[in-house]
Each structure stands twice: as C-alpha cells, then as structure tokens.
Coordinates of all heavy atoms in Angstrom, one line a residue:
L1106 N -22.7 100.8 12.6 CA -22.5 99.7 11.6 C -23.4 98.5 11.9 O -23.5 97.6 11.1 CB -21.1 99.2 11.5 CG -20.1 100.3 11.0 CD1 -18.6 99.8 11.1 CD2 -20.4 100.8 9.6
L1107 N -24.0 98.4 13.1 CA -24.8 97.2 13.4 C -26.2 97.3 12.7 O -26.9 96.3 12.7 CB -25.0 97.2 14.9 CG -23.7 97.0 15.7 CD1 -24.0 97.0 17.3 CD2 -22.9 95.8 15.3
E1108 N -26.5 98.5 12.2 CA -27.8 98.6 11.5 C -27.6 98.2 10.1 O -26.5 98.4 9.5 CB -28.3 100.0 11.6 CG -28.6 100.5 13.0 CD -29.8 99.7 13.6 OE1 -30.7 99.4 12.9 OE2 -29.7 99.5 14.8
P1109 N -28.7 97.7 9.4 CA -28.5 97.2 8.0 C -28.2 98.4 7.1 O -28.8 99.4 7.2 CB -29.9 96.6 7.7 CG -30.5 96.3 9.0 CD -30.0 97.3 9.9
S1110 N -27.2 98.2 6.2 CA -26.9 99.2 5.1 C -26.3 98.4 4.0 O -25.6 97.3 4.1 CB -25.9 100.2 5.7 OG -26.4 101.0 6.6
R1111 N -26.6 98.8 2.7 CA -26.0 98.2 1.6 C -24.5 98.3 1.6 O -23.8 97.4 1.3 CB -26.6 98.9 0.3 CG -25.9 98.5 -1.0 CD -26.0 97.1 -1.3 NE -25.4 96.8 -2.7 CZ -25.2 95.6 -3.1 NH1 -25.5 94.5 -2.4 NH2 -24.7 95.4 -4.3
Y1112 N -24.0 99.5 1.9 CA -22.6 99.7 2.0 C -22.2 100.1 3.4 O -22.8 101.0 4.0 CB -22.2 100.9 1.1 CG -22.4 100.7 -0.4 CD1 -23.6 101.0 -1.0 CD2 -21.4 100.1 -1.2 CE1 -23.8 100.7 -2.3 CE2 -21.5 99.9 -2.6 CZ -22.7 100.2 -3.2 OH -22.9 100.0 -4.5
K1113 N -21.1 99.4 3.9 CA -20.6 99.8 5.2 C -19.1 99.9 5.1 O -18.4 99.0 4.4 CB -20.9 98.6 6.3 CG -22.4 98.5 6.6 CD -22.6 97.4 7.6 CE -24.1 97.3 7.9 NZ -24.4 96.2 8.9
G1114 N -18.6 101.0 5.6 CA -17.1 101.2 5.4 C -16.5 101.9 6.6 O -17.2 102.6 7.4
A1115 N -15.2 101.6 6.8 CA -14.5 102.3 7.9 C -13.1 102.6 7.3 O -12.4 101.7 6.9 CB -14.4 101.4 9.2
W1116 N -12.7 103.8 7.4 CA -11.4 104.2 6.9 C -10.6 105.0 8.0 O -11.2 105.7 8.8 CB -11.5 105.1 5.6 CG -12.3 106.3 5.8 CD1 -13.6 106.6 5.7 CD2 -11.7 107.6 6.2 NE1 -13.9 107.9 6.0 CE2 -12.8 108.6 6.3 CE3 -10.4 108.1 6.4 CZ2 -12.5 109.9 6.6 CZ3 -10.2 109.4 6.7 CH2 -11.3 110.3 6.8
G1117 N -9.4 104.9 7.9 CA -8.6 105.6 8.9 C -7.1 105.0 9.0 O -6.7 104.2 8.1
G1118 N -6.5 105.3 10.1 CA -5.1 104.8 10.3 C -5.0 103.5 11.0 O -5.9 102.9 11.4
R1119 N -3.7 103.2 11.2 CA -3.3 101.9 11.8 C -3.7 101.9 13.3 O -3.7 103.0 13.9 CB -1.8 101.7 11.7 CG -1.3 100.4 12.3 CD 0.2 100.3 12.1 NE 0.6 100.4 10.7 CZ 1.9 100.5 10.3 NH1 2.9 100.7 11.2 NH2 2.2 100.5 9.1
G1120 N -4.0 100.7 13.8 CA -4.3 100.6 15.2 C -5.7 101.0 15.7 O -6.0 101.1 16.9
S1121 N -6.6 101.3 14.7 CA -7.9 101.8 15.0 C -8.9 100.6 15.4 O -9.9 100.9 16.0 CB -8.5 102.5 13.7 OG -8.6 101.6 12.6
G1122 N -8.5 99.4 15.0 CA -9.4 98.3 15.3 C -10.4 98.0 14.3 O -11.4 97.3 14.5
K1123 N -10.3 98.7 13.1 CA -11.3 98.5 12.0 C -11.5 97.0 11.6 O -12.6 96.5 11.6 CB -10.8 99.2 10.7 CG -10.6 100.7 10.9 CD -10.3 101.4 9.5 CE -9.0 100.9 8.9 NZ -7.8 101.3 9.7
S1124 N -10.4 96.3 11.3 CA -10.5 94.9 10.9 C -11.0 94.0 12.0 O -11.8 93.1 11.7 CB -9.0 94.4 10.5 OG -8.6 95.2 9.4
H1125 N -10.7 94.3 13.3 CA -11.1 93.5 14.4 C -12.7 93.7 14.5 O -13.4 92.7 14.7 CB -10.4 93.9 15.7 CG -9.0 93.4 15.7 ND1 -8.8 92.2 16.4 CD2 -7.9 93.8 15.2 CE1 -7.4 92.0 16.3 NE2 -6.9 92.9 15.6
A1126 N -13.2 94.9 14.4 CA -14.6 95.2 14.5 C -15.4 94.5 13.4 O -16.4 93.9 13.6 CB -14.9 96.7 14.5
F1127 N -14.9 94.6 12.1 CA -15.6 94.0 11.0 C -15.6 92.4 11.1 O -16.5 91.8 10.8 CB -15.0 94.4 9.7 CG -15.7 95.7 9.3 CD1 -15.4 97.0 9.8 CD2 -16.6 95.7 8.2 CE1 -15.9 98.1 9.4 CE2 -17.2 96.9 7.8 CZ -16.9 98.1 8.4
A1128 N -14.4 91.9 11.6 CA -14.4 90.5 11.8 C -15.4 90.0 12.8 O -16.0 88.9 12.7 CB -12.9 90.1 12.2
E1129 N -15.5 90.7 13.9 CA -16.5 90.4 15.0 C -17.9 90.5 14.4 O -18.8 89.6 14.7 CB -16.3 91.3 16.1 CG -15.0 90.9 17.0 CD -14.7 92.0 18.0 OE1 -15.5 93.0 18.1 OE2 -13.7 91.8 18.7
M1130 N -18.1 91.5 13.6 CA -19.5 91.6 12.9 C -19.8 90.5 12.0 O -21.0 90.0 12.0 CB -19.5 93.0 12.1 CG -19.7 94.2 13.0 SD -19.3 95.7 12.0 CE -20.4 95.5 10.6
M1131 N -18.8 90.0 11.3 CA -19.0 88.9 10.4 C -19.3 87.6 11.2 O -20.2 86.8 10.9 CB -17.8 88.7 9.5 CG -18.0 87.5 8.5 SD -16.9 87.6 7.1 CE -17.6 88.9 6.2
I1132 N -18.6 87.3 12.3 CA -18.8 86.1 13.1 C -20.1 86.2 13.7 O -20.9 85.2 13.8 CB -17.7 86.0 14.2 CG1 -16.3 85.7 13.5 CG2 -18.0 84.9 15.1 CD1 -16.2 84.5 12.6
E1133 N -20.6 87.4 14.2 CA -21.8 87.5 14.9 C -23.0 87.2 13.9 O -23.9 86.6 14.2 CB -22.0 88.9 15.4 CG -23.3 89.1 16.1 CD -23.4 90.6 16.7 OE1 -22.5 91.4 16.6 OE2 -24.5 90.8 17.4
A1134 N -22.8 87.8 12.6 CA -23.8 87.6 11.6 C -24.0 86.1 11.3 O -25.1 85.6 11.1 CB -23.5 88.3 10.4
H1135 N -22.9 85.3 11.3 CA -23.0 83.9 11.0 C -23.5 83.1 12.1 O -24.0 82.0 11.9 CB -21.6 83.4 10.5 CG -21.3 83.8 9.1 ND1 -21.3 82.8 8.1 CD2 -20.9 84.9 8.5 CE1 -21.0 83.4 6.9 NE2 -20.8 84.7 7.1
I1136 N -23.3 83.6 13.3 CA -23.9 82.9 14.5 C -25.5 83.1 14.5 O -26.2 82.1 14.7 CB -23.3 83.4 15.8 CG1 -21.9 83.0 15.9 CG2 -24.2 82.9 17.0 CD1 -21.2 83.7 17.1
L1137 N -25.9 84.3 14.2 CA -27.3 84.6 14.2 C -28.1 83.9 13.0 O -29.3 83.6 13.1 CB -27.5 86.1 14.1 CG -27.0 86.9 15.3 CD1 -27.2 88.4 15.1 CD2 -27.8 86.5 16.6
D1138 N -27.3 83.7 11.9 CA -27.9 83.1 10.7 C -27.0 82.1 10.2 O -26.0 82.5 9.5 CB -28.3 84.1 9.6 CG -29.0 83.5 8.4 OD1 -29.2 82.3 8.4 OD2 -29.5 84.2 7.6
Q1139 N -27.2 80.8 10.5 CA -26.2 79.8 10.1 C -26.3 79.4 8.6 O -25.5 78.6 8.2 CB -26.5 78.5 10.9 CG -26.1 78.6 12.4 CD -24.7 78.4 12.7 OE1 -24.2 77.3 12.7 NE2 -23.9 79.4 13.0
S1140 N -27.2 80.1 7.9 CA -27.1 79.9 6.4 C -26.4 81.1 5.7 O -26.4 81.1 4.5 CB -28.6 79.8 5.9 OG -29.3 81.0 6.1
E1141 N -25.9 82.0 6.5 CA -25.2 83.2 5.9 C -24.0 82.7 5.1 O -23.2 81.9 5.5 CB -24.8 84.1 7.1 CG -24.1 85.4 6.6 CD -25.1 86.6 6.5 OE1 -26.3 86.4 6.7 OE2 -24.6 87.7 6.2
S1142 N -23.8 83.4 4.0 CA -22.6 83.1 3.1 C -21.9 84.4 2.9 O -22.5 85.4 2.4 CB -23.0 82.5 1.8 OG -23.5 81.1 1.9
S1143 N -20.6 84.4 3.2 CA -19.8 85.7 3.0 C -18.5 85.3 2.3 O -18.0 84.2 2.3 CB -19.4 86.2 4.3 OG -20.7 86.6 5.1
V1144 N -18.0 86.3 1.6 CA -16.7 86.2 0.9 C -15.8 87.4 1.4 O -16.3 88.5 1.4 CB -16.9 86.2 -0.6 CG1 -17.6 87.5 -1.1 CG2 -15.5 86.2 -1.3

C-alpha cells in the first residue's frame, strides 16, 4: 500500500490493524507533504 495507487483497500476481520495502518499512512503522507489535504 506504500506504492501509489488510485484505489487502496484492505478488507477482513476485527483485530487486523487495518484502521491503524491506514491512519499511520495518512499521518506519514501529511508529514512528507504539508500541503496535503485529506477527507
């Protein structure tokens, strides 16, 4: 998921860490580019 893609998705069960991984990806993206805008 660290490589550029138009669509990125993760599906599966509880306790997988999906949300935590995507949250970290979003924070990292905003650190690398301080003009980044996300919703």
